[in-house]
Amino acid sequence: MAEDSKVLDTLHRLTTALRDTRERLRAAEAGAREPIAIVGLGCRFAGGATDPDALWRLLDGGHDATTSFPADRGWPQGRTGAGGFLADAAWFDAGFFGIGPHEALSMDPQQRLMLEISWEALERAGIDPTTLRGSRTGVFTGTSDQDYRRLISANVDEFADHVATATAASVLSGRVAYLLGLEGPSVSIDTACSSSLVALHLAVRSLRAGECDLALAGGAVVMSTPGVFIAFRHQGALAADGRCKAFAESADGVGWGEGAGVVVVERLTDALASGHPVLAVVRGSAVNSDGASNGLTAPNGLAQQRVIRDALADAGLRGQDVDTVEAHGTGTRLGDPIEAAALQAAYGRDRATPLTLGSVKSNIGHTQAAAGVAGVLKIVLALRNRTLPKTLHVDQATSQVDWRGGGVDLLTESRPWQAADGRPRRAAVSSFGISGTNAHVIIEEAPPLEAAGTPAAEQLPWVLSARTESALRARAGQLLSHVDDRDPVALSHALITSRSTFDRRAVILDADPRTALTALNRGTAAPGLVAGTADLTGKVVFVFPGQGGQWAGMAGDLLETSPVFKEHVERCARALAPHLDWDLLAVLRQEPDAPSLDRVDVVQPALFAVMVSLAALWRAGGIEPDAVVGHSQGEIAAAHVAGALSLEDAALVVARRSKALTTLSGRGGMASVELPADRLRPLLGERLAIATVNGPESSVVSGDIEALDRLLT
């Protein structure tokens, strides 16, 4: 029997261990494929695409951002070249990031761009960048050239203090991590034109592995010299007019562009739990190399097919589960037909509807290290707007591809993007590096959010802040473009809860936002607009006064318009009800049978409830006190807000205190005397005393009514 018992115990332990191992294996497999949410976007591209909304307007309008060479870089002018150039590549608000002007001048413009768009992307994600210091946030940045060093090398002695970091590829990611205090992985990736999509792939892997909890993934390119134009012209691979004619019969080479893009990504479960806006989901990704193909720089169609199939496997999807592909599509006679054939082989079979195909390079040029993230941004915006933008410069689809029956259609016109068969809308993005590194990412529309249980939104004042007066005006101008197409309640909350606060501030109160923002942008006054400089060395204190500030109808409008305020007043009413013979809500709403606020036993509990509820309203808007202070029944409200008293205990104290004061009414009094305490004290008798000193010339005297009358007369 003893041997049988040992055998049973052993079998039980083995069974338990096997069950635990299976659970851990299932958890590991789930983590390896966990969807990754895209929660924020930031960008700078040619054609005035200084933010995601401007980029969408450019794409949706079918605009071409190609211009001639910029005139402010010392490049050859005339009919020598064209591309997609940033109009303000040299601009940088160095003071905002605490960078001195000399160091800023030495910095590669690509570093400057990544700082700016990373900050903006985090704010669009509802994250105050200053709160991430010390967090496990990663930075994965694509890069492909640091030609700015050629410009500063001519003055190497002038920039000697910063030359080591000014143009280093590693610092493209490292500077963002340093200035924001991010302690997750910081990686700069150079796989040429696939760099930023590889960066996103690595960010996804890092999040799934638990190396970081949030990540910035993207890339940047600024062409500080015309070197890349010269090199490709010599190779005969440069488009004559500087435009990418992706998959077109007239394709004659690449058209270069510059810009930067970044996406903020985190695990989908974390994004939903934190309330961050889920713009889209990365379902799967893959990276591979062409290997020993027919040339170092030549594309390999079989390798492209493999990377597509690997990304689909990572996502757990089939080719027919994807609606559209944002292609690499550079407009070369060699590369485009190979890519189209690979897409047909991987996606074109057994489809109910054809796979659509497009390339953002036809709008903004081939942005090299930022090309992949530009494609991701286009897809996220297309998902949001339910539209697939057209590909420009296609006279007709290239005859080097057999488009008949291939299951792939070129997007020569914009199309509505509808869900197919009730499944989520999905897209893929391809990016291929000249070194042979291929990347493919599957993007899916965001899951529908549960409406039930969502707290009612509350419009708060519109709060803007900046480090300088000119930046504050510029911020007002930026916000103007969102007034008509954004929920004002959501905007007011975002401005308070997800933006960093600086010393130059403006608040719009109960005013027409467009009028107030226009005035702020112009530096003029407007009704409801308050602007000034805040003292950032101070702290927030909630002050809860005594009675005397009440009026008939106080809090009535707020009860009708603020769900948060109403909820907390109702909580106070329930806590006070066992101790009162009147109804708090009836008093605040001035119902006919409600008692008057002139009664001490009514006004003090009512004021207590209003103050506690106002504190809850401020906290709901992200305003937390560093300290609280109170006087009279305000002391009780302060004690509750500080956590020293529960709501029930505070309600009991304020109710009994107000009743006790009613019974003591007429037995004493108090007066304010405009005299210093040392001059007033000799005039007082035994029945009078100084209770407090309010300032250098003011004293408060308390005592019985008759004694006070004699003193004051």
Side-chain angles (χ1 to χ4, degrees):
M1 294 295 290
E3 291 297 324
D4 291 344
S5 177
K6 290 180 180 179
V7 170
L8 288 174
D9 286 344
T10 301
L11 288 174
H12 178 70
R13 287 196 301 273
L14 290 173
T15 302
T16 302
L18 181 60
R19 186 185 303 114
D20 291 344
T21 300
R22 285 175 176 168
E23 288 299 323
R24 287 195 295 270
L25 181 60
R26 274 195 287 267
E29 290 175 344
R33 288 188 175 179
E34 182 171 5
I36 300 300
I38 298 174
V39 298
L41 310 174
C43 69
R44 298 281 192 281
F45 290 107
T50 55
D51 58 44
D53 290 331
L55 176 61
W56 177 250
R57 289 193 294 271
L58 184 144
L59 298 173
D60 191 41
H63 299 305
D64 175 10
T66 307
T67 62
S68 58
F69 278 0
D72 60 351
R73 304 189 191 183
W75 293 13
Q77 295 301 301
R79 301 178 63 185
T80 58
F85 298 102
L86 294 174
D88 53 359
W91 296 3
F92 179 55
D93 190 352
F96 180 88
F97 294 101
I99 297 172
H102 187 259
E103 183 177 6
L105 187 61
S106 74
M107 284 171 57
D108 191 326
Q110 296 170 153
Q111 294 184 19
R112 307 174 201 165
L113 284 176
M114 289 309 300
L115 280 173
E116 292 182 341
I117 66 172
S118 295
W119 186 285
E120 293 169 5
L122 287 167
E123 287 195 330
R124 290 191 184 98
I127 301 169
D128 178 350
T130 63
T131 65
L132 295 178
R133 187 164 298 276
S135 68
R136 285 161 34 99
T137 299
V139 185
F140 299 83
T141 307
T143 181
S144 55
D145 198 4
Q146 282 73 47
D147 62 353
Y148 190 67
R149 68 180 57 165
R150 299 171 201 166
L151 298 183
I152 66 171
S153 62
N155 300 293
V156 67
D157 292 337
E158 180 183 352
F159 299 111
D161 292 344
H162 306 293
V163 71
T165 57
T167 61
S170 60
V171 179
L172 195 61
S173 57
R175 195 179 289 274
V176 174
Y178 168 71
L179 285 174
L180 297 184
L182 313 179
E183 298 183 3
S186 175
V187 184
S188 296
I189 301 105
D190 184 356
T191 61
C193 305
S194 59
S195 296
S196 58
L197 206 62
V198 173
L200 177 57
H201 167 80
L202 295 177
V204 167
R205 290 296 189 269
S206 185
L207 286 164
R208 287 175 172 172
E211 292 176 337
C212 59
D213 300 319
L214 188 76
L216 293 154
V221 62
V222 174
M223 295 175 285
S224 299
T225 71
V228 68
F229 290 91
I230 297 169
F232 272 70
R233 182 181 295 115
H234 286 168
Q235 296 173 13
L238 187 69
D241 60 359
R243 292 169 171 83
C244 291
K245 307 168 188 68
F247 306 103
E249 183 69 17
S250 59
D252 61 344
V254 67
W256 295 120
E258 59 186 10
V262 69
V263 294
V264 182
V265 288
E266 65 180 328
R267 290 178 288 271
L268 178 60
T269 51
D270 293 341
L272 295 174
S274 60
H276 295 154
V278 180
L279 308 177
V281 172
V282 179
R283 277 291 301 269
S285 65
V287 169
N288 75 0
S289 175
D290 286 344
S293 59
N294 64 337
L296 172 63
T297 63
N300 184 327
L302 291 177
Q304 292 177 19
Q305 291 182 44
R306 285 194 297 272
V307 80
I308 292 170
R309 293 187 175 114
D310 287 347
L312 287 168
D314 185 55
L317 298 171
R318 305 165 301 164
Q320 54 265 45
D321 296 327
V322 175
D323 305 318
T324 189
V325 169
E326 172 60 24
H328 188 60
T330 59
T332 60
R333 293 190 179 98
L334 175 64
D336 285 5
I338 292 174
E339 181 177 8
L343 291 169
Q344 287 175 332
Y347 282 112
R349 299 172 181 171
D350 303 321
R351 299 190 65 88
T353 57
L355 179 86
T356 57
L357 180 64
S359 175
V360 71
K361 295 177 180 68
S362 68
N363 300 92
I364 60 175
H366 184 352
T367 53
Q368 304 162 68
V373 73
V376 172
L377 287 166
K378 173 184 173 181
I379 290 302
V380 173
L381 295 169
L383 282 167
R384 186 174 74 183
N385 292 279
R386 296 184 170 272
T387 300
L388 293 168
K390 66 181 179 181
T391 297
L392 308 184
H393 316 309
V394 180
D395 52 344
Q396 63 182 55
T398 176
S399 59
Q400 297 184 58
V401 174
D402 182 6
W403 300 98
R404 298 168 300 174
V408 176
D409 282 353
L410 186 57
L411 280 163
T412 56
E413 295 296 334
S414 297
R415 300 183 189 179
W417 191 359
Q418 305 296 337
D421 303 323
R423 64 165 172 77
R425 293 170 296 145
R426 299 189 185 98
V429 182
S430 283
S431 207
F432 310 135
I434 198 171
S435 64
T437 301
N438 307 312
H440 197 73
V441 173
I442 312 294
I443 307 290
E444 182 177 280
E445 70 176 306
L449 297 179
E450 294 289 338
T454 302
E458 177 115 24
Q459 182 162 7
L460 298 166
W462 287 31
V463 180
L464 295 82
S465 74
R467 292 194 189 277
T468 64
E469 179 68 26
S470 60
L472 185 64
R473 293 184 184 182
R475 174 73 75 165
Q478 293 170 349
L479 196 56
L480 265 172
S481 63
H482 298 290
V483 170
D484 296 331
D485 59 353
R486 292 289 189 275
D487 176 11
V489 173
L491 268 177
S492 67
H493 272 264
L495 289 170
I496 289 177
T497 61
S498 65
R499 298 295 189 268
S500 300
T501 50
F502 306 107
D503 55 348
R504 294 298 306 176
R505 299 183 188 178
V507 181
I508 298 173
L509 298 162
D510 298 326
D512 172 29
R514 178 167 287 282
T515 300
L517 288 170
T518 301
L520 181 59
N521 182 240
R522 295 173 178 172
T524 59
L529 172 64
V530 180
T533 302
D535 178 8
L536 297 184
T537 62
K539 294 185 177 181
V540 176
V541 178
F542 284 2
V543 179
F544 299 88
Q547 71 184 70
Q550 71 274 6
W551 70 92
M554 68 173 182
D557 290 342
L558 210 52
L559 273 172
E560 301 303 320
T561 59
S562 171
V564 172
F565 183 78
K566 180 182 178 183
E567 176 189 351
H568 284 82
V569 168
E570 289 174 343
R571 290 181 184 177
C572 291
R574 290 192 293 271
L576 287 165
H579 317 296
L580 305 176
D581 57 2
W582 48 270
D583 180 72
L584 174 65
L585 288 168
V587 168
L588 295 179
R589 288 172 174 154
Q590 292 186 282
E591 294 181 4
D593 297 333
S596 169
L597 287 172
D598 293 335
R599 285 172 44 182
V600 174
D601 62 328
V602 173
V603 69
Q604 293 205 357
L607 284 171
F608 161 83
V610 169
M611 288 188 287
V612 166
S613 302
L614 283 173
L617 181 58
W618 281 106
R619 280 177 155 172
I623 310 300
E624 286 289 339
D626 295 291
V628 295
V629 64
H631 165 66
S632 186
Q633 85 283 337
E635 297 177 61
I636 307 168
H640 167 61
V641 171
L645 288 175
S646 68
L647 182 60
E648 289 71 22
D649 288 344
L652 171 63
V653 172
V654 75
R656 292 195 175 178
R657 180 183 188 277
S658 64
K659 290 180 179 178
L661 288 174
T662 301
T663 62
L664 295 173
S665 178
R667 300 186 183 182
M670 183 169 60
S672 177
V673 181
E674 298 292 326
L675 286 176
D678 57 352
R679 289 182 55 192
L680 179 61
R681 190 169 285 108
L683 304 177
L684 305 179
E686 295 180 356
R687 301 175 66 184
L688 297 176
I690 297 176
T692 62
V693 177
N694 291 342
E697 297 294 329
S698 178
S699 304
V700 176
V701 181
S702 60
D704 65 66
I705 296 297
E706 292 181 0
L708 280 172
D709 282 343
R710 288 194 297 272
L711 173 67
L712 296 176
T713 55

